[in-house]
């Protein structure tokens, strides 16, 4: 099960869940697809703590 599949399985249990995709092989197309599929953010490895915190903050802001 990959990250998107995991997110969708969790969303079946809790429809209000917020997700940020973290990947080492991400592209802009993947980021767009992830957002279209319900994720609220995207971070590409390697990332800094600041980048991850920003993605999480933005994801919460989008869900409000």
């Amino acid at each position: 099960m990959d990250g998107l599949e995991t997110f969708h399985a969790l969303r079946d249990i809790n429809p209000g869940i917020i997700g940020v995709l973290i990947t080492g092989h991400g592209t802009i197309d993947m980021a767009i697809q992830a957002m279209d599929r319900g994720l609220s953010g995207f971070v590409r490895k390697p990332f800094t703590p600041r980048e991850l915190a920003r993605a999480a903050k933005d994801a919460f802001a989008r869900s409000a």
Side-chain angles (χ1 to χ4, degrees), residues 14-63:
N14 180 357
I17 196 168
I18 298 168
V20 174
L21 179 68
I22 298 174
T23 183
H25 305 287
T27 63
I28 295 299
D29 289 337
M30 179 187 276
I32 292 168
Q33 181 183 30
M35 302 293 262
D36 287 345
R37 294 179 71 188
L39 282 123
S40 300
F42 181 87
V43 180
R44 187 169 176 192
K45 295 177 193 174
F47 56 87
T48 65
R50 180 174 284 174
E51 290 169 327
L52 181 59
R54 176 48 118 183
K57 182 179 178 182
D58 289 348
F60 280 107
R62 280 187 199 96
S63 70

